[in-house]
Amino acid sequence: MARVEGHSEERFLGSDVFESNQRNLPPPNGAGTVREEARDIAIYHECDVAVIGGGPAGCAAAWAAAKAGARVTLVERYNCLGGLSTGGLVMWIDRMTDWHGNHVIQGFARHFIERMPADAVAGPPKADWGSQDLDKFAYWRNRTTAFHGIVQWAPTIDPERMKLNNQEMLLEVGVRIVFHAWAARPLVEHGAAKGVIFESKMGRHALLAKVVVDTTGDGDMFARAGAAFDTDIEEGDVHHSMNTGWVLGGVNMDRWIDWKTQHPEQLAQFMERGREELGYFQTPYVSWRPDIALFLGPRQSGLSALQVDDMTEVEIRSHRLMEGHCQFFRKHAPGFEHVYSLQSAQQLGVRHTRRLAGLARIERKDWPLGVPRADEVGVSPSISPKFPVISVPYGSLVPRQLDGLLVGGRHISCDPSSHGFMREIPQCWLTGHAAGVGAALAVNAGIQPRAVKVADIRKVLREQGAHLSDDAVVADAGQPEQVPAE
């Protein structure tokens, strides 16, 4: 086992990344092929927009498309909405403010959080967003919402109530939700997506749609439809690692935070002992309440979320590590004397598999420019105060050649460095929101998503509460830059 430090000024979340070649299961012994008989598949439903995957991006896309007048069906393989923010227990919602405290990721994200009960959201008051007060920074830094000396809007939210909030927001705007259904492949005719085939307890069925929005997180639909994609990674970053999250109950997080901040030498010894005893080791994050500790699992690299044996390996390791951490912290960590295992995530913590090769691309070389893209459909906070905000182009949601399909979420078109923050939950809300609007407007006009005027998308995004750069500034940017088709 090897441990790699994953932190620099251009990598937002410092963390150990663990590598290991030790496997718990032998390789499978299958060989050869079998032939599956061809058969007719019943049509389950027809709609305007089919959203595949009910994570943050999928919920935003479905909500936005329905509000823009489309008949929307969302297909989700689990029993709840929210993806990694709920089923993955990634309840820490990353930064939505820039380094001056301006709220730049709004739209669906803001509507969603403002609907949450007050006791389900933990984070700094709005008056403190952008504050560089030393005491405020010191307090919020240990609660994952202050970085580089600046307090941010990056709350931690109750995952169970997020599930309900997502569900109710979609039902209120008329979205048809299909739980316990796994989209197996897209339906493609003449180079355009026309729906999907999905599997459920009812068997195999077809969902027909005028536009498909791929929010699977792994690009399952666009990849199986033949669209080009990228898989390269930033080796030293956490963006390509996997884990299963868990939460422990019966803790006193305030006591833990006080101890670790006041006794750094003891903390270092504690960390070293944990690595010696458990191998993979991690300290906790805060949750939405002080008696529950969040562990986003030791991040493991060298494993693929597209390989079932690798995914199984991560789950085996993570469930053992949950019990190991619980016992270790009960014995050695102040504030954890009465800790118990509360819940492990039902959903594997995947950060990266595929990224769309889109008409446009968010790239590291553009970070310092601070120039809105001509086809901007969102604004993301940057990785550190030395960079301005990042303009998100519509072209990063559009395949270079495949029609009838848009993407939203962590698999949008970007380079590995930009993926390090564009994969986060607020950015998935942002890109899902834009994809949903683009899909609805394409249906309304009877055109392909690539032909929708970005000015029309921006108009509807603003009506739905999104934050965008001034139209005049975007107009001055000229024509959208596009990556040439290969």
Side-chain angles (χ1 to χ4, degrees):
M1 181 191 69
R3 180 170 59 91
V4 180
E5 294 289 342
H7 179 69
S8 77
E9 191 174 6
E10 293 183 8
R11 295 174 191 146
F12 173 64
L13 183 61
S15 173
D16 291 344
V17 178
F18 295 90
E19 300 177 6
S20 175
N21 294 320
Q22 298 176 355
R23 303 298 290 256
N24 287 285
L25 295 176
N29 63 5
T33 62
V34 298
R35 180 170 294 275
E36 183 178 7
E37 294 183 8
R39 62 187 187 273
D40 292 329
I41 298 173
I43 296 172
Y44 166 75
H45 191 66
E46 296 185 40
C47 60
D48 294 328
V49 177
V51 178
I52 312 304
C59 289
W63 177 86
K67 284 185 70 69
R71 297 172 302 137
V72 181
T73 299
L74 182 147
V75 178
E76 168 54 43
R77 60 174 164 155
Y78 292 108
N79 69 340
C80 65
L81 299 175
L84 283 177
S85 68
T86 56
L89 296 179
V90 187
M91 63 193 77
W92 171 54
I93 311 301
D94 204 348
R95 301 153 299 131
M96 288 170 281
T97 46
D98 65 15
W99 297 103
H100 303 286
N102 299 309
H103 196 178
V104 297
I105 295 184
Q106 297 193 40
F108 177 85
R110 181 169 181 173
H111 289 298
F112 180 84
I113 294 175
E114 288 183 348
R115 285 174 54 112
M116 291 295 297
D119 65 344
V121 181
K126 186 174 182 179
D128 289 348
W129 299 355
S131 173
Q132 299 183 45
D133 178 85
L134 294 179
D135 290 336
K136 291 178 180 179
F137 170 73
Y139 180 84
W140 289 111
R141 175 182 59 181
N142 288 300
R143 290 158 178 83
T144 60
T145 191
F147 315 95
H148 296 294
I150 302 170
V151 178
Q152 300 283 293
W153 178 227
T156 306
I157 307 179
D158 180 346
E160 287 301 321
R161 283 145 114 181
M162 282 199 284
K163 293 177 184 178
L164 180 62
N165 196 24
N166 278 308
Q167 173 183 294
E168 297 307 302
M169 285 184 71
L170 268 55
L171 291 176
E172 286 172 11
V173 295
V175 174
R176 182 184 188 90
I177 300 171
V178 184
F179 285 134
H180 301 290
W182 189 305
R185 67 178 181 87
L187 293 168
V188 180
E189 296 179 5
H190 308 297
K194 299 294 184 179
V196 300
I197 304 273
F198 71 89
E199 295 271 5
S200 74
K201 287 291 187 179
M202 298 192 305
R204 198 166 174 88
H205 283 81
L207 170 65
L208 303 185
K210 297 173 182 176
V211 176
V212 174
V213 181
D214 186 341
T215 50
T216 59
D218 301 311
D220 292 337
M221 295 300 101
F222 69 68
R224 292 170 189 171
F229 57 87
D230 298 310
T231 59
D232 52 325
I233 61 173
E234 187 73 30
E235 289 285 352
D237 203 335
V238 301
H239 86 112
H240 60 86
S241 59
M242 288 192 290
N243 64 278
T244 298
W246 66 78
V247 288
L248 303 181
V251 306
N252 184 332
M253 284 299 290
D254 290 331
R255 183 170 175 231
W256 159 257
I257 291 171
D258 288 343
W259 175 79
K260 75 169 188 173
T261 55
Q262 294 174 18
H263 304 282
E265 293 183 359
Q266 294 181 36
L267 176 63
Q269 295 170 1
F270 173 86
M271 292 291 295
E272 188 59 34
R273 183 171 184 175
R275 292 176 184 129
E276 290 175 357
E277 293 192 17
L278 298 178
Y280 306 92
F281 189 69
Q282 187 205 25
T283 53
Y285 296 96
V286 298
S287 73
W288 78 101
R289 49 185 291 164
D291 58 345
I292 294 177
L294 167 65
F295 288 78
L296 292 179
R299 295 155 173 89
Q300 302 166 48
S301 67
L303 298 163
S304 172
L306 300 178
Q307 297 293 328
V308 67
D309 286 349
D310 286 4
M311 298 168 74
T312 302
E313 180 68 25
V314 175
E315 298 286 16
I316 290 172
R317 294 179 186 177
S318 295
H319 287 95
R320 289 175 176 172
L321 287 166
M322 178 180 180
E323 180 62 19
H325 278 66
C326 184
Q327 293 186 17
F328 182 86
F329 273 75
R330 186 186 298 130
K331 293 177 182 177
H332 305 296
F336 282 76
E337 293 82 359
H338 305 291
V339 67
Y340 58 90
S341 294
L342 181 59
Q343 180 186 9
S344 61
Q346 69 186 44
Q347 190 168 336
L348 186 64
V350 179
R351 293 171 176 80
H352 176 264
T353 49
R354 310 178 182 101
R355 305 187 314 279
L356 178 72
L359 289 179
R361 200 166 185 249
I362 302 170
E363 296 183 332
R364 167 65 183 83
K365 66 180 177 60
D366 298 325
W367 294 2
L369 302 180
V371 177
R373 305 286 282 263
D375 58 341
E376 178 188 279
V377 289
V379 177
S380 169
S382 65
I383 205 75
S384 81
K386 76 175 186 179
F387 299 113
V389 293
I390 307 296
S391 181
V392 178
Y394 181 60
S396 66
L397 316 181
V398 184
R400 293 177 191 168
Q401 294 180 322
L402 178 67
D403 280 325
L405 185 142
L406 289 168
V407 311
R410 68 172 180 250
H411 53 220
I412 68 163
S413 182
C414 61
D415 65 10
S417 294
S418 302
H419 181 265
F421 61 91
M422 287 306 301
R423 66 176 172 81
E424 298 289 355
I425 290 164
Q427 283 78 3
C428 290
W429 279 333
L430 183 161
T431 56
H433 190 172
V437 171
L441 294 186
V443 169
N444 294 345
I447 58 178
Q448 292 297 333
R450 70 181 68 249
V452 178
K453 294 181 180 179
V454 174
D456 294 339
I457 297 174
R458 288 170 56 85
K459 180 177 183 293
V460 176
L461 283 171
R462 276 216 173 90
E463 291 171 354
Q464 294 184 358
H467 170 83
L468 299 165
S469 301
D470 290 342
D471 290 339
V473 178
V474 171
D476 289 343
Q479 293 298 312
E481 295 182 12
Q482 295 188 357
V483 179
E486 297 177 354

